[in-house]
Amino acid sequence: MAEALAVVGLVSSIIQFVEFGSKVLTRLYQYSGGIVEGPNVFRDVADRLPLMIDLVKKIQSQVEYGKVGNSSQQVFLPVIQSCSSQVMALDELLMKALPTPKDSSFKRGSKALLSIVRESEIEKIDAVLKTNFSLLVQAGTYHSVANLERSKSSPAQQTIHVATQHRLHPHLRSESTPEVSPAYPQSSPLFIVPFQRDHKFIPRRAIVDEMTRRFGIQRRVSIAGLGGVGKSQIAIEYCYLYKDAHPNAHVFWIYAGNATRFEQTYQEIARRLDLPDWDDPKVDTLQLVCEWLSDDHNGEWLMVVDNADDAATFYSSKRLLNSRRDESTKALARYLPQSSVGSMIITTRDKRVGEQLAGREKPIEVLPMTASDAEALLRSSLSQHEWSDTDATTLLEELAYLPLAITQAAAFISENGLDISEYLELLCTGDSELKELLSEHLEDPRRDFDTENSVMRTWK
């Protein structure tokens, strides 16, 4: 009984530290100017705290699987409790010292002055956190040695590893990151993304960097923008970047344009993972997959929920496809898994839906391309004899620099043996037959087959 209570106490302290540590990181990065304008110690905290959170989560995983003995728990507990009290105090100080976007210029100036006054207090907290971090690393080494004395297993299977790179999140790190070895049978990593990598993809580096930064402090990130602005293409590229950095993680792509396709993909995931009773018609496959992915012990994963444009798809009480034919089932949003080792990208045209599905976190707004990026995209899709600088500039302006409209226009030009000037004449014509020609569906291997792919409809 005493051992069980000790485990609960340690896990509770870890959860408390992660919660308040995440709040501190959110405060530091909600307003980027607060880090630049504030004392250097703010940046030190922003560098160190993600590493500490990552470490204690790994300790928690080991504790929950019974791999941490009483002696190790007694070493970890007071250190983590100290970490919790320090980040709670830090959260209060930052709330008073960091400016927010809503603050007046006078209040921002007052807080800047206050941050200088409070700098010594924050430095003391940071010094304690730094010491605790070293103690946790040492305790992890102690725990590893203790395990090795009791077991002949490989040191790599016993060690609690600590990330050594000062990065907010290891999502797109090219080096292999050592992880805690699970005590459960792992499925072979699945990569269920129905699109090939686009080697002509024009990097939207600012957006990808912002996604990576946010994944350091939250598990769900939504990207929102007009149809055709390139949200899905960014998500596709992110999937391949994530796969390169995390070869042992699962990657899933869920088309969320309608409930039927959503459920079909969950059924495919259950089948590919060979989950228990996945083919039993009485089993709720949505719940089965959600529970499996919500279990941290089943490993890392990335899920893209694409085309989540309609709130009714996620918050309506009825489902179109349900093996139990039960009309009183829960909304689809309840079946989006949550895990400390799982990440989710939501693409949407509706900022409100994106915010709701991302846990009330504001979406990253995806805007049309810059003129230079749009020109690079068009040039990569056309041959030299089809190209004209002047006509290309005019066409890109007509297409409002929308990536989808640009790729569709380039496809139409190539398929019909036109040059850009001839295409511009067609685009601006009032001829109904020509408009019908421009409205023909064009196959695009980078877009879902249920989405509209015609020049005229996108251009409108």
Side-chain angles (χ1 to χ4, degrees), residues 366-398:
V366 182
L367 300 174
M369 284 182 152
T370 62
S372 58
D373 284 348
E375 180 181 334
L377 177 60
L378 182 61
R379 188 183 289 274
S380 71
S381 305
L382 295 177
S383 62
Q384 190 60 40
H385 80 273
E386 297 165 332
W387 187 263
S388 162
D389 287 339
T390 302
D391 291 335
T393 299
T394 303
L395 176 60
L396 293 173
E397 290 175 352
E398 288 288 334

Side-chain angles (χ1 to χ4, degrees), residues 157-262:
Q157 293 179 321
Q158 300 293 336
T159 303
I160 295 178
H161 298 281
V162 181
T164 57
Q165 296 190 13
H166 286 246
R167 295 283 299 274
L168 279 178
H169 191 64
H171 258 220
L172 304 183
R173 191 158 61 217
S174 59
E175 299 90 343
S176 111
T177 304
E179 300 292 342
V180 175
S181 297
Y184 50 86
Q186 280 190 305
S187 303
S188 299
L190 298 181
F191 188 77
I192 305 179
V193 177
F195 309 103
Q196 295 295 318
R197 193 169 196 171
D198 183 5
H199 296 288
K200 294 181 180 179
F201 176 77
I202 304 299
R204 313 286 288 271
R205 179 50 56 189
I207 297 172
V208 172
D209 286 348
E210 176 63 10
M211 291 169 68
T212 303
R213 185 191 70 79
R214 292 199 187 189
F215 274 127
I217 54 177
Q218 63 195 68
R219 305 314 307 171
R220 296 183 180 183
V221 173
S222 63
I223 56 177
L226 298 171
V229 80
K231 303 181 297 296
S232 297
Q233 306 313 310
I234 293 170
I236 293 170
E237 179 65 14
Y238 202 98
C239 286
Y240 282 92
L241 292 171
Y242 183 90
K243 177 188 177 184
D244 292 342
H246 299 262
N248 294 321
H250 300 292
V251 182
F252 307 106
W253 188 281
I254 310 292
Y255 178 76
N258 59 67
T260 301
R261 290 283 305 283
F262 184 98

Side-chain angles (χ1 to χ4, degrees), residues 31 99-105 107-108 111:
Y31 185 71
T100 68
K102 295 181 180 179
D103 287 344
S104 64
S105 57
K107 194 168 185 179
R108 287 168 61 87
K111 285 189 172 182

Side-chain angles (χ1 to χ4, degrees), residues 39 64 108 110 144 146 170 172 207 218 238 249 292 308 429 444:
E64 290 175 342
R108 287 168 61 87
S110 299
S144 301
L172 304 183
I207 297 172
Q218 63 195 68
Y238 202 98
W292 194 89
T429 186
D444 188 339

Side-chain angles (χ1 to χ4, degrees), residues 118-421:
R118 299 281 190 181
E119 183 173 0
S120 61
E121 295 179 54
I122 297 173
E123 284 178 342
K124 291 178 182 177
I125 292 175
D126 183 50
V128 175
L129 289 175
K130 184 177 181 180
T131 300
N132 286 343
F133 185 44
S134 297
L135 289 173
L136 287 172
V137 173
Q138 293 169 16
T141 303
Y142 164 82
H143 164 69
S144 301
V145 172
N147 276 351
L148 286 170
E149 290 175 350
R150 296 190 301 266
S151 171
K152 294 181 180 180
S153 56
S154 165
Q157 293 179 321
Q158 300 293 336
T159 303
I160 295 178
H161 298 281
V162 181
T164 57
Q165 296 190 13
H166 286 246
R167 295 283 299 274
L168 279 178
H169 191 64
H171 258 220
L172 304 183
R173 191 158 61 217
S174 59
E175 299 90 343
S176 111
T177 304
E179 300 292 342
V180 175
S181 297
Y184 50 86
Q186 280 190 305
S187 303
S188 299
L190 298 181
F191 188 77
I192 305 179
V193 177
F195 309 103
Q196 295 295 318
R197 193 169 196 171
D198 183 5
H199 296 288
K200 294 181 180 179
F201 176 77
I202 304 299
R204 313 286 288 271
R205 179 50 56 189
I207 297 172
V208 172
D209 286 348
E210 176 63 10
M211 291 169 68
T212 303
R213 185 191 70 79
R214 292 199 187 189
F215 274 127
I217 54 177
Q218 63 195 68
R219 305 314 307 171
R220 296 183 180 183
V221 173
S222 63
I223 56 177
L226 298 171
V229 80
K231 303 181 297 296
S232 297
Q233 306 313 310
I234 293 170
I236 293 170
E237 179 65 14
Y238 202 98
C239 286
Y240 282 92
L241 292 171
Y242 183 90
K243 177 188 177 184
D244 292 342
H246 299 262
N248 294 321
H250 300 292
V251 182
F252 307 106
W253 188 281
I254 310 292
Y255 178 76
N258 59 67
T260 301
R261 290 283 305 283
F262 184 98
E263 296 193 48
Q264 286 173 344
T265 308
Y266 265 52
Q267 290 171 348
E268 176 64 9
I269 292 172
R271 184 187 70 82
R272 296 277 295 276
L273 290 173
D274 196 23
L275 299 183
D277 301 320
W278 68 267
D279 55 349
D280 186 341
K282 296 180 181 179
V283 170
D284 187 343
T285 308
L286 290 176
Q287 186 68 29
L288 186 67
V289 172
C290 180
E291 289 179 354
W292 194 89
L293 292 176
S294 297
D295 187 343
D296 290 359
H297 302 128
N298 288 325
E300 290 183 299
W301 51 264
L302 173 69
M303 176 182 287
V304 176
V305 181
D306 189 36
N307 281 64
D309 303 326
D310 186 6
T313 301
F314 292 93
Y315 298 103
S316 173
S317 61
K318 292 184 179 181
R319 299 213 304 265
L320 299 182
L321 177 65
N322 177 14
S323 58
R324 295 179 301 170
R325 306 300 178 191
D326 181 358
E327 291 297 323
S328 63
T329 52
K330 300 175 183 178
L332 288 179
R334 295 175 181 262
Y335 296 94
L336 294 177
Q338 299 192 55
S339 166
S340 65
V341 295
S343 304
M344 185 178 295
I345 298 171
I346 298 114
T347 75
T348 181
R349 299 186 186 191
D350 191 329
K351 292 181 181 179
R352 296 169 299 176
V353 175
E355 184 172 337
Q356 290 170 353
L357 294 178
R360 294 298 176 185
E361 298 290 346
K362 294 292 185 183
I364 299 171
E365 187 172 4
V366 182
L367 300 174
M369 284 182 152
T370 62
S372 58
D373 284 348
E375 180 181 334
L377 177 60
L378 182 61
R379 188 183 289 274
S380 71
S381 305
L382 295 177
S383 62
Q384 190 60 40
H385 80 273
E386 297 165 332
W387 187 263
S388 162
D389 287 339
T390 302
D391 291 335
T393 299
T394 303
L395 176 60
L396 293 173
E397 290 175 352
E398 288 288 334
L399 298 177
Y401 304 104
L402 288 173
L404 178 59
I406 294 169
T407 55
Q408 290 173 339
F412 189 92
I413 290 171
S414 296
E415 289 182 12
N416 292 279
L418 306 175
D419 59 30
I420 297 178
S421 62

